[in-house]
C-alpha cells in the first residue's frame, strides 16, 4: 500500500506541474482574451474549441484500445513495430477524413467565418489524433513526466502566441485559433522525438498490423463511443444553444463553462495517474483505495465551490460585458463535483475493471436524457437558464448511476455520501441564485463545516493514512 501511494504521489508531482501551468494559462486567457476581443470573435474561438472536442474522436477506438490493453505495461516491454504501423495508419486516415470534411463544408455552406473554423479544426484533427496514440502510451506505461512535458509545450506556445498577437493589436479569432494549431504542432514534434521508436522505427508486417489495428478498435470502440457519448451529454446542450440563440450567447455560456472547467484541470490529473497504477494493484486492495481516494477528492471538491464567490467578484469586475456568463456560472460551477469524480474515480475504476460496456450504457442513457431535457427546455419552455442548469443535472445523474455500480461491485457503502453531496450542491445553487454574494458565501461556509463534521470519522482515517505514508521509509 505504501509503495502504491509513494509511486502515485511521485507521478502526481509531474502532473501537478503540468496542470498547475495549464490552470495558470487558462486563467490568464479567460481573463485576458474576452477583455480584448469582441464577443463575436470570442464566440467563434469557443466554437473552434467546441468542434475540436469532437474531431479528436477520429481514431475510431484504436488509441483507446491500445490504452486499455497496454495499461500497466512498461515502455521497454512494448513491441514497437506494431505502434509504428498504427501511428502512420492514423496519419493517413485523418488526412483523408479531415480533408473530406473541410471540402464538404466549404462547398455546401456560405458562412466564411464558420468555414475558417471548420478548416482549422480539421487541421488540428490531423495533428492530435495520431498524437493521441503516443500520449496514451506515455500514460499507460506511467511515463507521466514525458506526458506532462508534451502538454506543457502545447499550452505554453499557445499562450505565448495569443499574448503576442493581442499585444500587437491582432484580435481576430483566426489568429487565436492559429496559435492553438501551432502549439499542437510543436507538441506533436516533441512527442514523436521522445517516442521515436513508436513513430520512426520498423513497420510490422501488413497482416500483423491489420490484426493489431482490428483488435485495438474492437477493444477500444466501446470506450470511444462511451467517451463520445459523454461528450454529447454537454455537446447536445451547447449545440442547441448555438443554433437557437446566437454565437454571442454561445460565447457567454462557453465562458462560464471554461471558468468551471478551469477548476477541474488539476484534480482531473489524478485519474490519468491512477489508472496504470491500479492495473498493477491486486483486486483485494481496490475497495480501500477507492474509499480513501473518494474522501480526499470529495472533501476537496466541495471545498472548491467556495472559490466561486471570490471568482464571481473578480470576473464580474473585470469583464462587465459578460455579466450573463456569471449568472450561468452559478448553475454550472457545481458540475465540477460530479464531472471530476466521474473522470478521476468512477471511470478510472470502471476501466480498471474492464467495464467499458457499462460505461457506454450509462453514457448512452444520459445522452438520451440530455436530448429529452434539451428538447423540453429549448423548444417547449424556451428557457436558457434551465437549459444551462440541465448540464449539471445530467452530469450528476451519470456520476450517481456509475458510482452505485461501483458500490455494488466493491461491496462498499457510498449512498449516504452521494445524498450529502447532492444536498450540498442544491444548497450552493439555491443560496447563490437567490442571495447576495457575501450572504451566500457565509451560508455555504457554514454548510461545508457541517459536512466536515458529519465526515469526521472518514477524515480521521484519511489523515492517519497520509501520516503513515509520510512516516514510512
Amino acid at each position: 500500500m505504501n509503495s502504491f501511494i509513494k509511486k502515485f504521489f511521485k507521478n502526481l508531482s509531474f502532473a501537478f506541474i503540468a496542470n498547475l501551468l495549464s490552470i495558470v494559462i487558462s486563467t490568464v486567457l479567460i481573463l485576458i482574451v474576452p477583455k480584448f476581443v469582441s464577443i463575436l470573435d470570442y464566440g467563434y474561438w469557443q466554437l473552434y474549441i467546441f468542434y475540436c472536442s469532437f474531431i479528436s474522436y477520429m481514431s475510431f477506438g484504436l488509441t483507446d484500445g491500445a490504452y486499455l490493453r497496454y495499461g500497466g505495461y512498461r515502455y521497454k516491454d512494448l513491441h514497437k513495430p506494431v505502434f509504428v504501423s498504427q501511428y502512420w495508419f492514423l496519419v493517413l486516415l485523418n488526412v483523408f477524413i479531415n480533408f473530406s470534411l473541410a471540402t464538404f463544408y466549404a462547398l455546401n455552406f456560405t458562412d466564411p467565418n464558420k468555414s475558417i473554423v471548420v478548416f482549422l479544426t480539421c487541421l488540428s484533427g490531423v495533428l492530435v489524433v495520431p498524437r493521441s496514440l503516443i500520449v496514451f502510451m506515455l500514460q499507460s506505461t506511467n511515463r507521466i513526466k514525458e506526458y506532462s512535458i508534451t502538454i506543457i509545450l502545447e499550452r505554453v506556445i499557445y499562450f505565448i502566441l495569443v499574448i503576442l498577437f493581442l499585444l500587437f493589436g491582432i484580435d481576430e479569432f483566426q489568429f487565436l485559433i492559429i496559435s492553438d494549431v501551432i502549439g499542437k504542432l510543436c507538441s506533436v514534434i516533441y512527442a514523436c522525438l521522445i517516442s521515436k521508436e513508436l513513430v520512426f522505427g520498423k513497420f510490422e508486417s501488413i497482416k500483423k498490423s491489420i490484426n493489431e489495428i482490428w483488435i485495438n478498435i474492437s477493444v477500444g470502440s466501446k470506450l470511444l463511443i462511451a467517451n463520445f457519448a459523454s461528450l454529447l451529454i454537454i455537446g447536445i446542450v451547447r449545440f442547441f444553444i448555438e443554433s437557437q440563440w446566437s454565437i454571442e450567447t454561445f460565447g457567454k455560456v462557453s465562458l462560464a463553462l471554461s471558468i468551471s472547467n478551469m477548476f477541474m484541470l488539476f484534480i482531473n490529473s489524478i485519474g490519468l495517474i491512477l489508472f496504470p497504477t491500479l492495473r498493477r494493484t491486486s483486486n483485494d486492495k481496490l475497495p480501500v483505495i477507492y474509499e480513501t481516494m473518494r474522501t480526499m477528492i470529495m472533501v476537496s471538491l466541495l471545498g472548491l465551490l467556495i472559490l466561486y464567490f471570490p471568482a464571481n467578484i473578480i470576473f464580474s469586475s473585470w469583464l462587465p460585458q459578460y455579466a450573463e456568463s456569471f449568472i450561468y456560472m452559478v448553475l454550472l460551477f457545481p458540475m465540477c463535483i460530479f464531472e471530476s469524480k466521474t473522470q478521476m474515480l468512477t471511470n478510472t475504476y470502471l476501466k480498471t475493471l474492464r467495464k467499458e460496456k457499462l460505461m457506454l450504457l450509462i453514457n448512452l442513457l444520459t445522452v438520451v436524457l440530455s436530448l429529452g431535457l434539451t428538447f423540453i427546455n429549448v423548444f417547449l419552455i424556451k428557457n436558457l437558464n434551465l437549459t444551462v442548469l440541465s448540464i449539471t443535472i445530467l452530469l450528476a445523474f451519470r456520476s450517481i448511476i456509475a458510482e452505485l455500480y461501483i458500490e455494488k461491485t466493491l461491496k462498499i457503502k457510498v449512498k449516504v455520501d452521494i445524498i450529502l453531496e447532492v444536498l450540498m450542491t442544491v444548497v450552493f445553487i439555491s443560496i447563490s441564485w437567490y442571495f447576495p454574494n457575501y450572504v451566500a458565501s457565509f451560508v455555504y461556509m457554514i454548510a461545508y463545516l457541517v459536512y466536515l463534521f458529519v465526515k469526521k470519522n472518514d477524515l480521521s482515517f484519511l489523515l492517519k493514512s497520509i501520516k503513515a505514508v509520510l512516516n514510512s521509509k
Side-chain angles (χ1 to χ4, degrees):
M1 184 68 178
N2 286 345
S3 61
F4 165 85
I5 296 178
K6 284 181 179 179
K7 181 68 174 177
F8 174 80
F9 279 105
K10 181 180 178 181
N11 286 328
L12 182 62
S13 64
F14 293 119
F16 172 79
I17 295 172
N19 284 277
L20 178 63
L21 192 60
S22 291
I23 290 172
V24 172
I25 290 174
S26 296
T27 302
V28 173
L29 290 179
I30 288 170
L31 286 170
I32 295 296
V33 174
K35 187 73 174 178
F36 292 97
V37 304
S38 68
I39 296 177
L40 184 65
D41 278 303
Y42 185 80
Y44 281 118
W45 181 45
Q46 288 299 313
L47 191 63
Y48 160 78
I49 294 172
F50 179 52
Y51 286 168
C52 277
S53 63
F54 286 95
I55 206 76
S56 60
Y57 284 86
M58 291 297 180
S59 69
F60 297 99
L62 190 156
T63 56
D64 303 86
Y67 178 69
L68 288 171
R69 291 178 62 212
Y70 295 98
Y73 271 60
R74 303 189 187 282
Y75 183 79
K76 64 180 180 180
D77 296 329
L78 296 176
H79 184 55
K80 309 304 190 302
V82 167
F83 293 96
V84 175
S85 303
Q86 291 178 90
Y87 179 84
W88 290 105
F89 168 76
L90 286 173
V91 170
L92 294 175
L93 178 67
N94 277 273
V95 167
F96 172 75
I97 291 174
N98 285 288
F99 177 78
S100 300
L101 285 173
T103 303
F104 174 80
Y105 193 92
L107 293 175
N108 291 278
F109 296 90
T110 57
D111 186 335
N113 287 331
K114 280 194 177 180
S115 294
I116 293 171
V117 169
V118 169
F119 173 77
L120 292 173
T121 301
C122 291
L123 182 57
S124 290
V126 173
L127 296 172
V128 299
V129 176
R131 186 192 66 177
S132 67
L133 179 66
I134 301 174
V135 169
F136 277 3
M137 286 304 98
L138 293 176
Q139 290 182 28
S140 63
T141 57
N142 241 5
R143 293 181 65 187
I144 303 300
K145 179 181 178 181
E146 290 85 350
Y147 161 79
S148 300
I149 294 174
T150 303
I151 301 304
I152 289 171
L153 188 65
E154 175 186 336
R155 299 296 293 170
V156 168
I157 292 174
Y158 168 51
F159 173 75
I160 291 173
L161 289 175
V162 168
I163 297 301
L164 285 175
F165 281 132
L166 293 179
L167 285 174
F168 284 99
I170 304 172
D171 56 4
E172 291 84 2
F173 73 90
Q174 298 94 322
F175 294 95
L176 299 177
I177 298 175
I178 289 170
S179 301
D180 182 65
V181 173
I182 293 173
K184 285 180 168 58
L185 175 62
C186 293
S187 74
V188 168
I189 294 171
Y190 172 78
C192 290
L193 291 176
I194 62 169
S195 303
K196 54 183 178 294
E197 304 93 343
L198 305 181
V199 179
F200 302 113
K202 181 182 177 182
F203 280 78
E204 186 58 271
S205 67
I206 295 177
K207 183 178 179 180
K208 288 183 178 179
S209 296
I210 293 174
N211 184 59
E212 182 74 10
I213 289 169
W214 174 252
I215 292 173
N216 282 339
I217 290 176
S218 300
V219 171
S221 57
K222 295 185 186 70
L223 181 59
L224 176 93
I225 298 171
N227 289 335
F228 187 72
S230 174
L231 183 65
L232 283 177
I233 293 168
I234 299 179
I236 289 170
V237 181
R238 295 184 70 188
F239 173 79
F240 279 105
I241 289 173
E242 190 269 332
S243 62
Q244 296 300 312
W245 277 276
S246 67
I247 192 68
E248 289 89 351
T249 300
F250 177 83
K252 291 174 182 178
V253 174
S254 295
L255 177 61
L257 275 168
S258 297
I259 295 170
S260 301
N261 287 327
M262 178 185 70
F263 289 99
M264 293 193 291
L265 280 174
F266 165 65
I267 290 182
N268 284 353
S269 65
I270 296 174
L272 68 90
I273 301 162
L274 198 56
F275 173 67
T277 310
L278 289 176
R279 285 297 296 271
R280 298 170 186 170
T281 303
S282 59
N283 288 342
D284 61 310
K285 294 180 180 178
L286 292 180
V288 67
I289 293 173
Y290 186 91
E291 291 180 316
T292 303
M293 293 299 299
R294 191 189 193 286
T295 300
M296 182 173 67
I297 289 168
M298 295 314 298
V299 169
S300 301
L301 287 173
L302 289 169
L304 190 71
L305 291 185
I306 297 171
L307 295 178
Y308 162 78
F309 302 105
N312 183 30
I313 296 172
I314 294 169
F315 288 122
S316 298
S317 301
W318 179 251
L319 299 171
Q321 70 272 37
Y322 286 87
E324 286 181 62
S325 295
F326 309 112
I327 296 173
Y328 307 140
M329 202 165 78
V330 173
L331 308 174
L332 289 172
F333 206 65
M335 81 180 203
C336 299
I337 296 173
F338 303 105
E339 184 66 356
S340 291
K341 182 172 63 173
T342 298
Q343 297 302 326
M344 285 186 295
L345 209 54
T346 53
N347 277 0
T348 302
Y349 262 75
L350 290 174
K351 285 185 284 188
T352 301
L353 298 169
R354 294 306 306 273
K355 297 294 181 181
E356 302 88 34
K357 186 176 181 180
L358 179 68
M359 288 176 60
L360 172 58
L361 290 174
I362 292 171
N363 286 343
L364 287 176
L365 178 62
T366 314
V367 167
V368 172
L369 184 61
S370 177
L371 281 168
L373 282 178
T374 304
F375 179 81
I376 292 170
N377 292 328
V378 173
F379 296 105
L380 299 182
I381 303 176
K382 298 181 180 180
N383 188 300
L384 181 58
N385 291 335
L386 285 177
T387 304
V388 173
L389 177 61
S390 68
I391 292 175
T392 298
I393 294 172
L394 291 164
L395 295 179
F397 171 81
R398 180 180 64 165
S399 174
I400 292 168
I401 295 297
E403 192 164 27
L404 289 176
Y405 175 83
I406 295 287
E407 178 188 54
K408 182 179 178 181
T409 303
L410 299 183
K411 295 179 173 59
I412 57 177
K413 296 180 180 179
V414 296
K415 287 189 181 71
V416 174
D417 291 309
I418 291 173
I419 293 171
L420 283 173
E421 289 147 17
V422 171
L423 283 174
M424 289 291 291
T425 302
V426 172
V427 168
F428 173 84
I429 292 176
S430 300
I431 62 175
S432 301
W433 188 263
Y434 290 107
F435 293 98
N437 203 65
Y438 67 94
V439 174
S441 60
F442 177 75
V443 174
Y444 185 78
M445 280 289 292
I446 297 299
Y448 183 63
L449 291 173
V450 172
Y451 169 79
L452 293 179
F453 178 78
V454 173
K455 295 283 292 179
K456 62 182 184 298
N457 291 334
D458 292 334
L459 286 170
S460 177
F461 177 78
L462 174 62
L463 292 173
K464 287 178 181 177
S465 300
I466 294 173
K467 185 177 180 181
V469 173
L470 294 176
N471 292 336
S472 63
K473 295 182 179 180

